[in-house]
Amino acid sequence: MKIMTANRLVDGEVVWYGNGQWIETIDGAEIVVDPAEEARLEALGKQAMAANLILDLALIDIEVVDGAIRPKRLRERIRAAGPTIRNDLGKQARTQLSRAA
Amino acid sequence: MYRYDEFDHAFVQARVAQFSDQVERRLAGELTEEQFRPLRLMNGVYLQLHAYMLRVAIPYGTLSSRQMRMLAHIARTYDKGYGHFTTRQNIQFHWPALSDIPAALADLASVEMHALQTSGNCIRNISADHFAGAAADEVADPRPYAEIMRQWSSVHPEFSYLPRKFKIALTGSNRDRAAIQTYDIGLHLKRNEAGELGFTVWVGGGQGRTPLLAKKIRDFLPRQHLLSYVTAIMRVYNLHGRRDNKWKARIKILVHEMGAQEFARQVEAEWETLKDGDLKLPQADIDAINAYFAPPPLVDRPEGDEAVRLDRLDSRSFSDWLNRNVTTHHHPDYAAVTISLKNIGETPGDMSDSQMDAVADLAERYAFDEIRVSHEQNLVLPHVARADLKAVYDALVEIGLATANIDLISDIIACPGLDYCTLANARSIPVAQQIALRFASLERQRDIGELKLNISGCINACGHHHVGHIGILGVEKKGAELYQVTLGGAADENAAIGEIIGRGFGPDEIVDVIETLVETYLAIRSDRSERFLDVYRRLGAAPFKEALYGAEAKAA
């Protein structure tokens, strides 16, 4: 299983491809399971790079744990959450804020 | 301090305008990432895991209060309220938007700062002893020569596209606090028998995948020949350095493969053609740059001795801080103060915007407006009257920066690692934090004594693990973090590359491993004066291997 990720050009924000757009949280990322779908996703990613929306495009390996997407590599889990030593920074900080609200 | 002249101002402002235009064109889609990437790197802009990163140059680690306040402003306005001081005496901001970076660079230019040559295959920001101009053991301040080389190397057309990045460091003391033997070129400023100033020249040091110590290629180079000789070195490297393999492109590989003697011969031959030409430094120019670095007006403050004696009696914690964080100055009434950025359990080298502002205020009030950044990721107030030490200490306590741990086990050098860095394979910061917390008692740390522990999150070795008394290298093995341990490294005048002691350890083991190494040391040291490194040099790795691997070590 794979999903597609990149950084947004204008501010470097980590984004994933889901529901036809580049989204800021991993939860809604589109999961693909076979080479044909991977190729389709990659083609869309390259279009977005050519359109200067994103950079540093990658398809990454994931698993689904309790219904949630979990990247296999720690590097990608850190990108999806934020620095492990500062949970007030990165995506995880927003989750905390929304929980607090 | 050096102040920009008209040329410097115009040059830096022109670069800001040029890069602003490049960013605008990138955002408008007129430049592809492939076209833009080398341009952003030339202006210190990287892409990291979570965002862009802006690395700002701090030439030879010297800052004024006004500049430090500007760094606080950048952190507050364009970033997330903090900055990270690096092992190259620079500062990194980890969260700026690309669209904001031109404005940040314009703000930096207003205080004579920039991000040029903090990336790319050029001569990078030049570093120097953080006690330069203050240390009692200094022969002469090396920073004027670093400044001469900064001016010479800035967008130098011949040396802007080298085989690989190129780093130069200087010290003006026999005691090397600038780690010059780990640099592409290390320069040791000293006097010859006739009392003239010149440099011992070291070439071909470096860490990374192939750690090598620099080789001495000249014992004494008269200072007026600094630029001609360094140019000769750069030319031999530029001609013969490998461009086909990134991992073999640093000058250390060339010097190693060619042999230091042959390398030196070629440099001397090239230098013969240059030494009496345009690059020979006129005495008037040397004097003019030296004048910028004249010591501040250090009026006698003899009352400091009695004040310090009384305050010591009054406060144990002040006394501990004096012992660890205060260094002898060349003026007997003054001292150099090291501000630890290694609070127990926090990120080594990180500092909040409000702490930056507060340190700027302190420097202005008590330290002649000067601040230094050390390659060990601490700050230094180089000129503080001993009579003012208690006031400085009290102010540092207020802002949470009075940890008395310099050169102790919790004064850890650590790169940002996998929490931020796109090159990293493993995390560094949490390992540093957990080790510091395990040894949180300063009393225990003082009992252990000087112990330099350095951590890198990948083989590029930004955390200088090869030259830590204990070095930790994070790698990725089968998708998990693994930490290799080296022993016996040193970055001073007796520099050494640490030895890997055996198989690596998981994140849940590494802190216990460090504690085992420390307890082993404590059990076998002759007395308290024998440091961890001394024991390693006396007995080698065997007792430490035995303690960690037991029977496994014996079988091997």
Side-chain angles (χ1 to χ4, degrees), chain B residues 414-426:
Chain B
C415 70
L418 191 56
D419 280 299
Y420 293 97
C421 178
T422 195
L423 299 173
N425 301 119

Side-chain angles (χ1 to χ4, degrees), chain B residues 215-232:
Chain B
K215 312 289 184 298
K216 194 200 296 191
I217 62 164
R218 194 168 230 279
D219 196 51
F220 190 83
L221 174 75
R223 60 180 173 163
Q224 64 270 27
H225 294 303
L226 175 65
L227 292 186
S228 58
Y229 201 81
V230 172
T231 297

Side-chain angles (χ1 to χ4, degrees), chain B residues 342-345 403-405 408-412 430-449 451 453 455 470 472 509-522 532:
Chain B
K342 314 292 177 64
N343 270 352
I344 306 298
T403 307
N405 63 347
L408 299 178
I409 191 169
S410 64
D411 184 11
I412 296 169
V431 176
Q433 291 174 328
Q434 287 157 26
I435 292 169
L437 286 167
R438 177 69 65 90
F439 293 92
S441 156
L442 282 172
E443 202 176 333
R444 186 179 181 197
Q445 291 188 42
R446 283 193 294 272
D447 180 43
I448 296 162
L451 203 168
L453 197 154
I455 308 174
I470 297 176
I472 300 176
E509 297 173 296
I510 187 66
V511 181
D512 289 337
V513 163
I514 299 306
E515 191 164 36
T516 300
L517 292 171
V518 169
E519 291 299 325
T520 304
Y521 151 69
L522 290 174
F532 181 93

Side-chain angles (χ1 to χ4, degrees), chain B residues 50 140 184 257 286 288 303 316 328 336 342 347 406 472:
Chain B
H50 310 290
D184 295 294
E257 289 187 351
I286 294 176
E303 75 276 21
R316 172 77 191 273
T328 310
K342 314 292 177 64
T347 302
I406 298 307
I472 300 176

Side-chain angles (χ1 to χ4, degrees), chain B residues 79-293:
Chain B
D79 210 83
K80 292 187 185 289
Y82 71 104
H84 175 76
F85 288 101
T86 76
T87 52
R88 296 262 309 122
Q89 299 178 303
N90 292 324
I91 187 167
Q92 295 181 176
F93 296 101
H94 285 134
W95 303 89
L98 178 61
S99 50
D100 283 341
I101 289 175
L105 292 175
D107 290 350
L108 287 165
S110 73
V111 296
E112 307 182 4
M113 296 186 83
H114 59 70
L116 301 177
Q117 295 181 208
T118 59
S119 175
N121 294 336
C122 54
I123 298 174
R124 300 286 189 91
N125 185 42
I126 292 165
S127 61
D129 182 355
H130 45 269
F131 293 138
D137 61 3
E138 184 172 87
V139 172
D141 190 337
R143 293 174 304 156
Y145 308 95
E147 173 56 29
I148 287 168
M149 280 194 292
R150 183 195 70 77
Q151 296 186 15
W152 159 82
S153 65
S154 292
V155 294
H156 192 303
E158 191 178 340
F159 306 132
S160 290
Y161 295 92
L162 295 166
R164 201 71 179 89
K165 59 186 169 184
F166 203 94
K167 301 174 183 178
I168 301 173
L170 294 94
T171 175
S173 303
N174 288 332
R175 171 106 195 271
D176 176 13
R177 289 172 288 258
I180 67 167
Q181 290 182 51
T182 68
Y183 270 76
D184 295 294
I185 295 179
L187 296 166
H188 174 190
L189 180 62
K190 63 180 189 183
R191 287 189 192 280
N192 65 8
E193 283 169 6
E196 297 154 337
L197 281 171
F199 301 92
T200 299
V201 182
W202 298 78
V203 176
Q207 300 194 56
R209 182 174 291 209
T210 312
L212 290 165
L213 293 177
K215 312 289 184 298
K216 194 200 296 191
I217 62 164
R218 194 168 230 279
D219 196 51
F220 190 83
L221 174 75
R223 60 180 173 163
Q224 64 270 27
H225 294 303
L226 175 65
L227 292 186
S228 58
Y229 201 81
V230 172
T231 297
I233 294 170
M234 301 306 300
R235 284 194 173 167
V236 173
Y237 170 53
N238 217 0
L239 184 64
H240 298 297
R242 286 180 63 168
R243 292 171 189 269
D244 62 325
N245 182 340
K246 184 182 174 185
W247 301 109
K248 296 190 173 179
R250 295 288 291 266
I251 195 173
K252 63 187 172 186
I253 303 292
L254 178 66
V255 172
H256 180 71
E257 289 187 351
M258 186 184 266
Q261 211 175 351
E262 172 59 15
F263 184 86
R265 190 194 65 74
Q266 294 199 20
V267 169
E268 294 282 332
E270 181 67 28
W271 183 52
E272 276 303 313
T273 70
L274 294 169
K275 63 192 284 244
D276 298 314
D278 292 345
L279 287 169
K280 187 171 175 183
L281 289 166
Q283 190 58 44
D285 287 7
I286 294 176
D287 292 344
I289 298 291
N290 263 285
Y292 282 111
F293 295 89

Side-chain angles (χ1 to χ4, degrees), chain A residues 6-15 48-57 72-86 88-94, chain B residues 26-33 36 40 47-52 80 82 95-100 347 350 418-427 429-430 433 476 479 481:
Chain A
N7 291 76
R8 195 160 59 203
L9 171 66
V10 66
D11 56 4
E13 180 79 32
V14 178
V15 287
M49 280 218 290
N52 297 304
L53 296 174
I54 52 142
L55 68 162
D56 219 26
L57 181 74
K72 287 195 170 171
R73 286 187 72 195
L74 176 61
R75 176 187 201 274
E76 293 301 326
R77 295 201 292 278
I78 291 173
R79 284 180 79 240
T84 62
I85 33 87
R86 287 282 303 262
D88 59 326
L89 299 174
K91 315 283 187 187
Q92 59 201 350
R94 298 179 204 173
Chain B
R26 175 72 183 114
L27 294 175
E30 292 164 20
L31 292 174
T32 65
E33 184 58 19
F36 181 65
R40 70 168 159 80
L47 181 70
Q48 296 277 46
L49 288 189
H50 310 290
Y52 291 98
K80 292 187 185 289
Y82 71 104
W95 303 89
L98 178 61
S99 50
D100 283 341
T347 302
D350 274 15
L418 191 56
D419 280 299
Y420 293 97
C421 178
T422 195
L423 299 173
N425 301 119
R427 287 172 294 168
I429 298 167
Q433 291 174 328
E476 183 181 2
E481 293 165 299

